Amino acid sequence: ETNTLPFHPFENQQGDILRMGKEHQVLKEQLREAEEKFEQLQSRSLEEIGALEELLKKSIEETEVSQNELDWFHQDSETQMKKWQQEKKENRENLKALRGTAKKHSDTNERYLKAIDDKEKQYNVCLNAFLETSNKFASEKGKLEELIKKSQDDSQECEKRAVKAEVSVLQTWKETEVWKLKGTIAKAEGNLRMLKALSSSASAAPVLKSQIDSWEIFLSNVKKQLEKVEAEYEEKMELVKNGARDCLSKVEIVDFPCP
């Protein structure tokens, strides 16, 4: 992610550093070709000069063989000499031009070398800055990872405490509602025992039978309500323990009127 954006101030756009490296390689290749061309031209000139000098030496030796031949060859040698001088002049001019070209290539080479040195310095500066930034990011990344791990541990601990707290609240609500319902059941059972005891009298039995039936229905409904409360609170606590959310609510209680 770090390398997807230009690295200012050394890059105006993505890939400038790589592009400078490629230009550096191209300049080196051009310099190598220029040096090879210069060496070829220099070697060819030296061979031509050597050949001309050898030819001149041979001609002088031949002129010394015979004075008669010297006279006979005098005019021809002068012509040949003029030709050689012209060729020598041309060769000197060519050599001078080659030397100028060589100097031009040498100056170009020096400029390229200087440009390469400057590019290498800039590259090293960019590389050092990049490494420094990379090390800094790596250090910050390590710190952030430690903070994330600590936060995750704290979050897990908080979740455990929250689950424990929610379970505790649900357990308290359950015990409260169960205590109320069991108290109601106990009172209803006491009333039933009293009514059944009173109904043992034959004269009171018809009068109390409807009340006994009402209390038995009421007791049955309250016991069903007790089972429902216990089951629903247990289900909520299991959901909370398994990671469910929004379960912290009281179970709806139907308030049955006493007979």
Side-chain angles (χ1 to χ4, degrees), residues 74-111:
H74 181 69
Q75 186 176 1
D76 186 60
S77 64
E78 286 183 353
T79 304
Q80 191 69 25
M81 183 63 70
K82 289 180 181 179
K83 181 180 178 181
W84 289 339
Q85 287 178 350
Q86 181 65 29
E87 290 178 354
K88 188 176 181 180
K89 181 181 179 181
E90 291 176 357
N91 288 332
R92 284 179 178 176
E93 290 177 353
N94 290 333
L95 181 60
K96 183 179 180 181
L98 288 174
R99 286 176 177 172
T101 303
K103 187 176 184 304
K104 182 179 178 182
H105 288 321
S106 178
D107 295 340
T108 304
N109 184 25
E110 290 180 358
R111 288 198 305 271

Side-chain angles (χ1 to χ4, degrees), residues 177-191:
E177 296 298 335
V178 168
W179 178 80
K180 290 179 180 178
L181 291 172
K182 285 184 176 180
T184 303
I185 290 171
K187 291 179 180 179
E189 288 176 344
N191 289 335

